[in-house]
Amino acid sequence: MVGFKLTREQALAQKMFREFTQSEVKPLVSQMDEAEAFDMDLLDKLKRYGLMGIPYGKEYGGVGGDVLTYALCMEELSRVDASVGITISVHTSLCCSCLAEYGSEEQKQTFLRPLVDGSKVGCFGLTEPSAGTDAGGALTTADRDGDFYVLNGQKVFTTNSGFADTFIIFALTNKALGGVKGLSAFVVDRDTPGLTVSKEIPRMGIRAASNCEVALMDVRVPADQLLGKEGLGYKIAMGALAGGRIGIGAQAVGIAQGAIDEAVAYVKERKQFGKAIAKFQNTQFQLAEMQTKVDAARLMVWRAAAAKDAHENYAPLAAMCKLFASTVCNEVAREAVQLFGGYGYSREYPVEKKLRDAKITEIYEGTSEAMKMIIGGAMMR
């Protein structure tokens, strides 16, 4: 892309991601969506190819890549299937980042290493039935009992929880201080007594991803599995989400580019009034606008990723790229369905799935309204 040149290593990684998705992911997309279940053989392949630990150091079993390379992976995966993209995103951007940023060396060796080398899968338990955008409204509690904390509460929409091994759970260690100052973060093993995971929550889109409710009933977690110290939970969660928005921005770009790919191929073949509809100027104008918006969104994602790699203040840029890319994603997916006409509304063709998957990018890891709050707040400082 002119104006933002990838390094040789990044370009090679992008090529590998694209080849992997075409050969290993694309044949499974329809099947997984219909079954509303992730293919476990594919999950094993994601692990073997090193896609679970791209931006983490080799000293912990990761690939040692940068955030931009990770964003390239998110785009290519989501270009074919957003469910695969979000599975990698939550594991990498949310679960692993909490450990990488706030874990002790012992915690990193015990919990982070098997996550980034692909031995285990992670999830992130912040959202609750009564606490979505207002994460400070969390009600899950963690009461100290000797060398343990006892966790009680409920998490919802916990992506990857159906098959995750490691849970990052946020709970109140000080109810009097509330969620912003009294929230803490814990690393919890799946097999800890009292932790139960519901069946999959039926969803409009990203149907192959795992997304369940997680119940915690007298879950005893060793005190040495507290991340950082008591009261840091809100800061840990917000930091993870800020970085995660780069991945979701990349996911949105990928969904949109995939919709354009399908639309271009279709309009070249579909004939009306005696010629391919690609020959009509209106069709070309529609596609030109779609591609221009997607390229603009892609550059915003790359800018945010580059800022994070440079250890700059990337949070407002991440919010901007997610806000813009998710908006563009939904616009482009709708236009792609329109170009397909009646066939676009049919499940026989892939663009209806793109539209179903697109909507969630405006909601999870911070709604579009929350992104405007972050951007506006940064402008006022």
Side-chain angles (χ1 to χ4, degrees), residues 275 277-288:
K275 61 181 178 179
I277 60 175
K279 298 292 184 181
F280 291 98
Q281 190 177 62
N282 181 65
T283 301
Q284 294 179 17
F285 280 7
Q286 281 181 275
L287 288 167

Side-chain angles (χ1 to χ4, degrees), residues 236-254:
I236 293 171
M238 293 304 105
L241 288 168
R245 287 167 190 142
I246 298 172
I248 300 305
Q251 179 189 44
V253 169

Side-chain angles (χ1 to χ4, degrees), residues 49-331:
Y49 275 77
L51 303 189
M52 310 296 280
I54 291 171
Y56 298 102
K58 294 181 180 179
E59 68 271 24
Y60 295 113
V63 173
D66 54 20
V67 178
L68 180 51
T69 300
Y70 163 64
L72 296 173
C73 179
M74 278 296 298
E75 178 181 342
E76 293 302 326
L77 290 174
S78 303
R79 189 170 178 170
V80 172
D81 188 18
S83 292
V84 179
I86 194 58
T87 299
I88 294 292
S89 176
V90 168
H91 171 89
T92 304
S93 293
L94 300 187
C95 180
C96 291
S97 70
C98 293
L99 282 157
E101 293 293 325
Y102 291 94
S104 66
E105 185 59 31
E106 183 178 354
Q107 288 173 331
K108 289 178 182 178
Q109 293 295 342
T110 303
F111 298 108
L112 181 61
R113 176 175 289 278
L115 288 168
V116 299
D117 72 13
S119 302
K120 293 185 177 181
V121 177
C123 67
F124 181 86
L126 176 64
T127 301
E128 299 185 6
S130 60
T133 299
D134 179 18
L139 299 176
T140 297
T141 58
D143 298 313
R144 187 69 184 255
D145 181 19
D147 293 333
F148 291 83
Y149 285 90
V150 182
L151 276 59
N152 283 282
Q154 184 181 12
K155 301 297 179 179
V156 68
F157 302 127
T158 311
T159 304
N160 290 356
S161 55
F163 48 71
D165 306 286
T166 303
F167 292 62
I168 302 295
I169 298 291
F170 295 87
L172 290 168
T173 47
N174 190 324
K175 286 175 276 189
L177 290 177
V180 175
K181 295 184 178 180
L183 199 66
S184 300
F186 299 88
V187 190
V188 184
D189 289 313
R190 183 186 191 87
D191 59 2
T192 306
L195 187 153
T196 58
V197 180
S198 75
K199 293 181 179 180
E200 298 291 336
I201 300 170
R203 298 177 305 283
M204 177 172 74
I206 57 165
R207 299 199 309 182
S210 173
N211 197 282
C212 311
E213 295 181 11
V214 177
L216 304 141
M217 184 174 292
D218 293 331
V219 176
R220 295 178 64 81
V221 178
D224 62 7
Q225 290 176 209
L226 170 72
L227 277 178
K229 60 182 181 180
E230 287 191 8
L232 273 184
Y234 189 82
K235 181 180 180 180
I236 293 171
M238 293 304 105
L241 288 168
R245 287 167 190 142
I246 298 172
I248 300 305
Q251 179 189 44
V253 169
I255 295 169
Q257 189 63 63
I260 291 174
D261 294 344
E262 298 291 352
V264 169
Y266 180 79
V267 300
K268 288 179 178 178
E269 297 297 325
R270 175 67 169 169
K271 292 183 178 180
Q272 291 287 274
F273 305 104
K275 61 181 178 179
I277 60 175
K279 298 292 184 181
F280 291 98
Q281 190 177 62
N282 181 65
T283 301
Q284 294 179 17
F285 280 7
Q286 281 181 275
L287 288 167
E289 289 185 6
M290 291 158 68
Q291 189 63 67
T292 299
K293 290 176 181 178
V294 171
D295 277 18
R298 179 179 292 113
L299 284 172
M300 290 185 74
V301 171
W302 288 13
R303 179 182 69 166
K308 190 172 191 299
D309 281 325
H311 305 289
E312 297 173 358
N313 178 22
Y314 67 88
L317 301 179
M320 284 187 228
C321 83
K322 182 184 182 296
L323 172 64
F324 185 71
S326 62
T327 301
V328 166
C329 178
N330 279 269
E331 290 176 358

